[in-house]
Amino acid sequence: GFLPLQGHVVRNWKVRWFVLLQDKLLYYKIEGGKKEPSPKGRILLDGCTITCPCLEYENRPLLIKLKTKTNTDYFLDCCSREERDSWALDITGAIHAGHPVQVQELHRMKNSFKLLENISLHDIVERMYDSSTGIKLTRNLDQGNRYKETFTGSALVDWLISNSFAVSRFEAVTLASMLMDENFLRPVGVRSTEATRSSDPSEKFLDDSTALYMFAESSKKNTSSKEEVHFNISELSGTIVKQGFLVKQGHKRKNWKVRKFVLRADPAFLHYYDPTKEENKPVGGFSLRGCLVSALEDNGVPAGVKGNVQGNLFKIITKNDIHYYIQASSKAERVQWIEAIKPLT
């Protein structure tokens, strides 16, 4: 699949097509909408160590870090927590494929729960407040209300694991629930507040990128009505239905670029981002109301499509008759995107 990779000489980000084999991770360059036949590079997994979550870059919270036995660092960026965890699990399995004892230990750690000794909840909260290494506080929007100095549930889980307070997401969720029970944290917004009413203790804290939390001592939320929120913020406030990397044809130059697509409902919009840029702002997007979406046949290049494309194409026509040509990485992924978009049109 597609993942942005940081360069070694020039520290910029390039999107590459990655293929995981038993002992190596190959990556390919995409030219004209098609994968080049020879790999651009390879990461040897023998003796490799993986860090996930990796929080070394504030603007890229979904990183995987690979360090080879020759001490070369590779940073791979993902478009969602689910995608990151899936890649990390598969890469970890490949790294330890020849060591069944280590694989068993990984599964044991993943399914066990034991809080670290000699660590109090007060110590954890103090570390969370640290201006340089603590949890990053951001402004967030929920149901038309703006909240200052908040963090998401998945961001806290990542932080607890990366700071060695927990060894699995299950353990981090349990620890976060304890912080909430002891009134160190409080939920804000609809999703996290509703979860606290659950009778199951393991479901009171949400390991989710849309569930918001803040320090209990923080100032009260600053709210504004939906009508006062800027239009761009309004269209970005919908619930994320699906996200992933797709290849899109440009409107002017007709070249093909990998973009991170985010599909939202209520309101129904499809936005796309440049994954090589640091700022998390869409470079384009459109309302899905009145759109038509359909698959394009893979035998030959359809009219309106330029370049020697890979296939798995689909087309979206907006109500203003603007045509978007998009490539998925497989037929199955194309079907998934079409089925996700259709109910929102």
Side-chain angles (χ1 to χ4, degrees):
F2 292 113
L3 292 173
L5 170 71
Q6 188 186 60
H8 291 294
V9 181
V10 181
R11 294 291 182 178
N12 58 353
W13 294 86
K14 298 289 186 183
V15 178
R16 298 292 182 242
W17 176 260
F18 281 83
V19 178
L20 177 62
L21 303 179
Q22 187 173 4
D23 59 344
K24 64 179 77 75
L25 189 59
L26 304 178
Y27 52 94
Y28 296 78
K29 191 176 179 180
I30 301 294
E31 280 295 334
K34 190 172 184 180
K35 181 187 77 173
E36 290 191 336
S38 300
K40 180 78 174 175
R42 66 193 68 215
I43 304 171
L44 300 179
L45 298 178
D46 180 40
C48 198
T49 59
I50 182 170
T51 302
C52 180
C54 172
L55 305 182
E56 293 192 22
Y57 291 87
E58 183 177 347
N59 292 335
R60 294 182 181 269
L62 298 173
L63 284 178
I64 297 171
K65 178 182 178 180
L66 297 174
K67 181 185 283 291
T68 67
K69 65 179 180 182
T70 58
N71 289 323
T72 303
D73 291 340
Y74 292 87
F75 292 93
L76 316 179
D77 197 17
C78 299
C79 68
S80 68
R81 180 172 53 83
E82 293 76 16
E83 183 190 51
R84 180 199 63 188
D85 293 348
S86 176
W87 270 105
L89 184 64
D90 289 341
I91 293 171
T92 302
I95 290 172
H96 298 296
H99 307 280
V101 174
Q102 289 182 328
V103 174
Q104 290 176 5
E105 179 65 12
L106 286 168
H107 284 290
R108 187 195 66 76
M109 289 174 62
K110 182 180 178 182
N111 298 317
S112 66
F113 171 67
K114 182 181 180 182
L115 285 177
L116 296 175
E117 296 178 1
N118 304 321
I119 295 291
S120 70
L121 296 181
H122 287 88
D123 294 333
I124 295 174
V125 173
E126 278 191 20
R127 288 275 298 277
M128 290 176 66
Y129 270 112
D130 189 282
S131 58
S132 59
T133 60
I135 188 82
K136 302 300 180 186
L137 303 178
T138 59
R139 294 173 180 264
N140 281 287
L141 186 74
D142 183 89
Q143 298 289 308
N145 295 323
R146 280 189 246 189
Y147 298 92
K148 290 183 177 179
E149 298 185 332
T150 60
F151 45 87
T152 66
S154 58
L156 178 55
V157 169
D158 287 350
W159 185 88
L160 289 169
I161 295 173
S162 65
N163 284 274
S164 302
F165 289 116
V167 296
S168 68
R169 303 196 78 82
F170 171 74
E171 181 170 335
V173 166
T174 307
L175 184 52
S177 300
M178 294 173 66
L179 291 169
M180 203 161 56
D181 289 341
E182 295 297 322
N183 205 33
F184 289 110
L185 310 178
R186 69 182 182 88
V188 290
V190 176
R191 285 214 64 203
S192 55
T193 302
E194 286 182 350
T196 59
R197 303 189 182 100
S198 171
S199 57
D200 187 344
S202 65
E203 297 177 0
K204 290 183 181 295
F205 181 88
L206 298 178
D207 179 8
D208 193 289
S209 59
T210 62
L212 301 181
Y213 299 88
M214 69 192 318
F215 292 114
E217 296 179 358
S218 297
S219 58
K220 293 183 179 179
K221 66 182 181 183
N222 289 345
T223 62
S224 61
S225 66
K226 287 184 179 179
E227 290 71 27
E228 294 173 335
V229 177
H230 191 269
F231 176 73
N232 287 337
I233 298 177
S234 174
E235 69 182 53
L236 292 169
S237 66
T239 303
I240 295 178
V241 176
K242 186 174 178 60
Q243 55 188 330
F245 295 114
L246 299 167
V247 190
K248 172 187 167 296
Q249 181 179 263
H251 289 293
K252 294 180 180 179
R253 295 178 60 191
K254 304 298 182 184
N255 56 348
W256 291 88
K257 297 288 186 182
V258 178
R259 294 290 180 249
K260 172 187 171 182
F261 279 80
V262 179
L263 177 63
R264 294 180 173 92
D266 300 321
F269 274 82
L270 183 63
H271 293 96
Y272 48 95
Y273 301 71
D274 185 346
T276 66
K277 304 297 183 185
E278 293 297 337
E279 63 273 11
N280 190 29
K281 295 180 180 178
V283 294
F286 50 92
S287 170
L288 290 172
R289 296 302 179 196
C291 284
L292 297 174
V293 56
S294 61
L296 297 177
E297 296 300 327
D298 290 337
N299 51 348
V301 179
V305 174
K306 304 294 183 182
N308 187 17
V309 297
Q310 191 107 332
N312 306 313
L313 283 164
F314 63 99
K315 178 171 69 173
I316 301 175
I317 305 175
T318 70
K319 64 180 180 181
N320 297 325
D321 199 35
I322 299 173
H323 293 225
Y324 290 87
Y325 295 98
I326 302 169
Q327 285 187 73
S329 61
S330 66
K331 284 185 171 61
E333 186 182 47
R334 176 174 65 179
V335 170
Q336 291 169 6
W337 273 100
I338 292 174
E339 289 181 348
I341 292 170
K342 273 186 176 178
L344 303 177
T345 59

